[in-house]
Amino acid sequence: MTVQPNTYRSGPDERGFFGIFGGRYVAETLMPLILSLEEAWTAAKADPEFAAELKVLSKDYAGRPSPLYFAERLTEHLGGAKIYFKRDELNHTGSHKINNTLGQILLARRMGKTRIIAETGAGQHGVATATVCARFGLPCVVYMGATDVERQKPNVFRMKLLGAEIVPVTAGAGTLKDAMNEALRDWVTNVESTYYLIGTAAGPHPYPEMVRDFQSVIGEEAKAQLAEAEGRLPDAVVACVGGGSNAIGLFHPFLDDTSVAIYGVEAGGKGLEGDEHCASLNAGRPGVLHGNRTYLLQDDDGQILEGHSISAGLDYPGIGPEHSHLKDIGRVTYVPATDDEALEAFQLCTKLEGIIPALEPAHALAHVMKLAPTMDKDQIIVMNMCGRGDKDVFAVAGHLGMDI
Amino acid sequence: MTTTRIDRKFAALKAEGRPALVTFITAGDPGFEAGLEIVKALPGAGADVIELGMPFSDPMADGPAVQAGGLRALKAGQTMVKTLEMVRRFREGDDTTPIVLMGYYNPIYSYGNERFLKDAKDAGVDGLIIVDLPPEADDELCLPAMEVGINFIRLATPTTDEARLPAVLENTSGFVYYVSITGITGSAAPDADAVGRAVGRIKAKTDLPVAVGFGVRTAEQARAIGAAADGVVVGSAIVDTIRASLDAANGATAETVPSVTRLVSALAEGVRSARLQDA
């Protein structure tokens, strides 16, 4: 393909690579499926009817566009740059995940698939998948680490109400990567009937590209909304990164606006000096897992490590391959925020803005709290408030030593 | 590339008129020394080719038995360095039985592809089966492996259609591994007739031997599959047998090696009788 020299937005190449990252490292059983998925995705992208159908659902079912909100009291409190929240927590199902599941369920239907499987960590993607499966009358199986089933009970119950079958995965530490392994085992066993609805911008090509494109509505809207509100681009955009789907969705439309500083905030857990974090970009090294080459938390022998984060949505030991590329070429700055910093941001946002954030975007907010005071008052930060915190109140109560 | 132990073994068995028994165990399950004793005992019990699993924390294509075997090995401290050391120790007493390392790409990538191929060749490795390296990634490990004289054995599956088969076969050497089911290792039993047709389809396109695995557990199945295939791969059943022989702390017992050799002997009987009825 022709690489456009002046763009950061041309990836992936025809083999699914962003620089050295990405690709299609999957078992042969899955390879024909991945290729037919790519074919279906390429056809869907070029079909105005697909875009039109998605647009109607996004508006009437998911509630897009999500507002861009000026967080006035937080701005005052921090005393620096103006802070805007992109309110993707107001979407149907409470997070950005619905943007992707709506797109992929339409694709699955086009492909004639009759059964949907998904993995989930915090349960947000599981809920979003169970939701669209209910909407389109397709059976849904969600693989979820047993540890996560325990710490995300409200979402487990929501998925069950929506008609999904939840399979707790006890392998490994029972978190997101183990759920993804098990989903891949299901897929390899049920290749004919089943569509694997991956929730983050990772996995084999074309998933990273496809999920990014479905999530890019976040950045496109934010750009237009800020242009209307302020008549200009932001100076910085900030999002949390686990697998990285909300972040790539916000970042991608801004990549070529080089005046915009871009920050991805990783789960720093209990600090990067120990093992209890999930900062694959800051503390990992390149490897191959779940169908793509990307930065991974791994030991010296190439065994994948279990990440830790207070947030079940961020404790994935990998990261979407485009983020790995954006790190290496220096376009995006990836920084950690610790569990404690995220908890503090969670409480501050709730008290000052009346918005209970999910623990995932609380990490992004923790970085905004560091960044805003260093910037001028006429500068602007846009942060993706990618999920609401209702699901986290029990966990937060536990961390704060409160009984509810 | 020059002929390898794999080529010579399959040629010899073809002359004998019987399929190969290919046995899989995970390197270092249940521990390094016990694992080495098991590997050393396999040829005497009737194994023609040894597949040695390189344990990995995230074995996406494996069923519960092989997953558990890998975890036992990792818990016992197995590493890539030790796996290659195990091959070297085995080679001190056996220079003919082919050894194929099977596993996932990341531990190799982490070790360093070039360093890995050199050390594997030096240790006496004959072939590689890397589950998550499809033909699309041949330039990463498959072609360099061929250059150092290590066979890169490709998996063909029920989803590998006519259009894709040539790509799968293109840089394959040693043998072709036909995965008899769509699924993970050790799950559903394969249908011998369907397998026979698939093997015929592959053999129409290649002169390489075709071995069949995933789901073969008993001597009877080995006999049925071996009627059409050039090799029968048994993995999960052996790994399960190892597990059943262990003590409460997952350590080897006096029963570990004998229970494995009993199973392998029975499987070898099955394989050796595979062509008798047809003859």
Side-chain angles (χ1 to χ4, degrees):
Chain A
M1 68 179 268
T2 335
V3 177
Q4 293 166 280
N6 295 318
T7 180
Y8 292 101
R9 302 182 67 186
S10 61
D13 67 18
E14 73 277 9
R15 294 170 66 213
F17 284 94
F18 304 89
I20 66 160
F21 300 103
R24 277 186 287 233
Y25 298 89
V26 298
E28 177 57 27
T29 308
L30 292 180
M31 202 63 205
L33 258 89
I34 298 278
L35 294 172
S36 74
L37 173 64
E38 186 189 9
E39 206 174 296
W41 164 234
T42 305
K45 266 194 297 190
D47 182 354
E49 272 183 38
F50 181 80
E53 194 178 3
L54 181 56
K55 196 166 182 186
V56 170
L57 281 167
S58 296
K59 176 172 168 287
D60 298 340
Y61 190 68
R64 299 213 75 88
S66 69
L68 185 74
Y69 165 72
F70 173 46
E72 197 176 349
R73 293 196 68 212
L74 191 70
T75 299
E76 261 173 42
H77 177 82
L78 294 174
K82 291 177 82 169
I83 298 158
Y84 280 86
F85 291 158
K86 178 63 175 159
R87 300 287 307 274
D88 255 53
E89 100 280 13
L90 293 178
N91 294 338
H92 181 41
T93 75
S95 80
H96 69 290
K97 294 294 187 185
I98 192 83
N99 304 329
N100 170 48
T101 58
L102 274 177
Q104 286 200 54
I105 198 98
L106 293 182
L107 192 63
R109 279 160 52 88
R110 281 171 76 102
M111 294 177 75
K113 299 296 182 185
T114 55
R115 175 176 177 267
I116 305 294
I117 59 170
E119 83 295 336
T120 196
Q124 294 301 88
H125 173 58
V127 167
T129 304
T131 297
V132 298
C133 286
R135 167 64 182 75
F136 287 100
L138 289 169
C140 176
V141 177
V142 178
Y143 289 92
M144 188 168 185
T147 306
D148 290 338
V149 169
E150 202 45 49
R151 61 179 173 173
Q152 299 289 339
K153 280 179 186 162
N155 272 345
V156 172
F157 184 61
R158 287 164 82 193
M159 286 185 274
K160 284 182 179 164
L161 283 175
L162 290 160
E165 179 193 341
I166 315 300
V167 182
V169 179
T170 53
T175 60
L176 183 53
K177 92 173 165 77
D178 311 297
M180 203 153 178
N181 290 336
E182 211 55 37
L184 283 164
R185 291 184 186 115
D186 179 314
W187 200 22
V188 90
T189 308
N190 301 292
V191 279
E192 288 302 325
S193 63
T194 298
Y195 182 93
Y196 182 15
L197 209 163
I198 293 185
T200 194
H205 177 65
Y207 282 104
E209 176 198 283
M210 183 166 69
V211 176
R212 175 199 73 197
D213 287 358
F214 289 137
Q215 293 294 1
S216 288
V217 65
I218 300 171
E220 283 156 13
E221 284 177 7
K223 201 174 191 176
Q225 288 165 325
L226 192 72
E228 189 162 320
E230 299 274 355
R232 68 181 188 88
L233 286 166
D235 298 282
V237 296
V238 183
C240 62
V241 288
S245 71
N246 95 82
I248 202 70
L250 176 66
F251 297 169
H252 201 255
F254 290 104
L255 287 178
D256 286 341
D257 300 307
T258 48
S259 67
V260 180
I262 306 182
Y263 298 92
V265 187
E266 296 193 287
K270 295 177 182 167
L272 262 52
E273 55 283 354
D275 289 335
E276 292 189 75
H277 60 78
C278 222
S280 30
L281 288 169
N282 280 291
R285 58 194 172 89
V288 174
L289 179 72
H290 294 152
N292 62 148
R293 175 163 32 233
T294 193
Y295 276 84
L296 298 172
L297 296 179
Q298 52 183 321
D299 69 11
D300 292 342
D301 194 45
Q303 308 297 335
I304 309 304
L305 299 172
E306 298 287 347
H308 160 83
S309 170
I310 190 172
S311 148
L314 299 182
D315 66 357
Y316 179 63
I319 174 82
E322 193 163 10
H323 287 294
S324 292
H325 180 58
L326 291 169
K327 172 197 160 66
D328 275 14
I329 61 174
R331 177 62 187 101
V332 177
T333 305
Y334 294 91
V335 294
T338 64
D339 288 352
D340 288 346
E341 289 170 335
L343 267 178
E344 193 192 330
F346 177 96
Q347 296 173 82
L348 187 72
C349 185
T350 304
K351 282 181 185 151
L352 287 183
E353 294 293 346
I355 295 171
I356 302 177
L359 281 170
E360 291 80 13
H363 285 73
L365 192 58
H367 189 67
V368 169
M369 287 165 63
K370 297 174 199 168
L371 187 65
T374 69
M375 294 168 68
D376 292 337
K377 289 190 174 183
D378 60 354
Q379 290 190 296
I380 296 169
I381 299 173
V382 172
M383 188 205 97
N384 194 18
M385 183 61 74
C386 62
R388 67 176 186 228
D390 311 45
K391 69 182 175 64
D392 291 318
V393 294
F394 295 95
V396 169
H399 287 292
L400 298 178
M402 295 176 184
D403 261 344
I404 46 175
Chain B
M1 62 189 281
T2 52
T3 60
T4 63
R5 289 186 193 90
I6 298 173
D7 302 325
R8 292 192 287 274
K9 177 65 77 173
F10 276 100
L13 294 178
K14 191 174 183 185
E16 259 184 62
R18 68 167 179 93
L21 175 62
V22 182
T23 54
F24 172 94
I25 64 159
T26 300
D29 172 25
F32 181 86
E33 290 301 333
L36 181 61
E37 289 314 304
I38 296 170
V39 181
K40 283 180 174 172
L42 289 172
D48 300 301
V49 177
I50 295 170
E51 279 182 17
L52 203 50
M54 299 172 280
F56 181 46
S57 52
D58 292 79
M60 284 92 69
D62 285 301
V66 176
Q67 285 178 47
L71 284 181
R72 286 193 297 271
L74 289 173
K75 275 203 181 132
Q78 191 70 12
T79 60
M80 186 64 86
V81 170
K82 288 186 179 176
T83 297
L84 295 173
E85 172 64 12
M86 187 174 281
V87 177
R88 201 186 59 72
R89 296 266 297 272
F90 173 83
R91 277 280 167 256
E92 288 170 357
D94 185 322
D95 196 36
T96 57
T97 306
I99 293 223
V100 175
L101 294 184
M102 181 167 185
Y104 299 81
Y105 186 30
N106 198 57
I108 294 174
Y109 185 74
S110 169
Y111 192 93
N113 290 2
E114 205 175 312
R115 174 181 165 224
F116 170 79
L117 289 174
K118 181 184 179 302
D119 291 356
K121 182 69 185 171
D122 289 349
V125 170
D126 304 290
L128 296 174
I129 300 174
I130 310 300
V131 177
D132 51 355
L133 276 180
E136 283 76 0
D138 270 358
D139 51 346
E140 291 204 32
L141 193 66
C142 170
L143 299 179
M146 284 168 76
E147 271 172 33
V148 303
I150 292 179
N151 291 132
F152 201 88
I153 294 138
R154 187 75 67 200
L155 303 176
T157 72
T159 60
T160 310
D161 59 17
E162 292 298 324
R164 189 165 167 76
L165 189 55
V168 169
L169 295 175
E170 189 182 1
N171 292 317
T172 302
S173 61
F175 62 94
V176 179
Y177 187 143
Y178 180 67
V179 174
S180 58
I181 49 162
T182 54
I184 50 180
T185 54
S187 44
D191 169 351
D193 289 341
V195 167
R197 285 193 297 277
V199 169
R201 191 162 64 87
I202 296 168
K203 288 179 84 73
K205 297 272 168 63
T206 179
D207 294 332
L208 288 171
V210 179
V212 175
F214 279 46
V216 184
R217 302 190 69 91
T218 65
E220 180 53 31
Q221 287 172 324
R223 191 193 62 76
I225 298 290
D230 302 304
V232 180
V233 189
V234 182
S236 298
I238 300 174
V239 176
D240 272 339
T241 300
I242 293 173
R243 178 187 52 75
S245 76
L246 302 179
D247 62 25
N250 278 338
T253 64
E255 255 309 287
T256 301
V257 172
S259 64
V260 170
T261 53
R262 272 198 303 277
L263 172 64
V264 172
S265 298
L267 292 165
E269 281 298 306
V271 162
R272 275 156 222 263
S273 64
R275 306 275 169 81
L276 294 179
Q277 290 174 336
D278 303 337

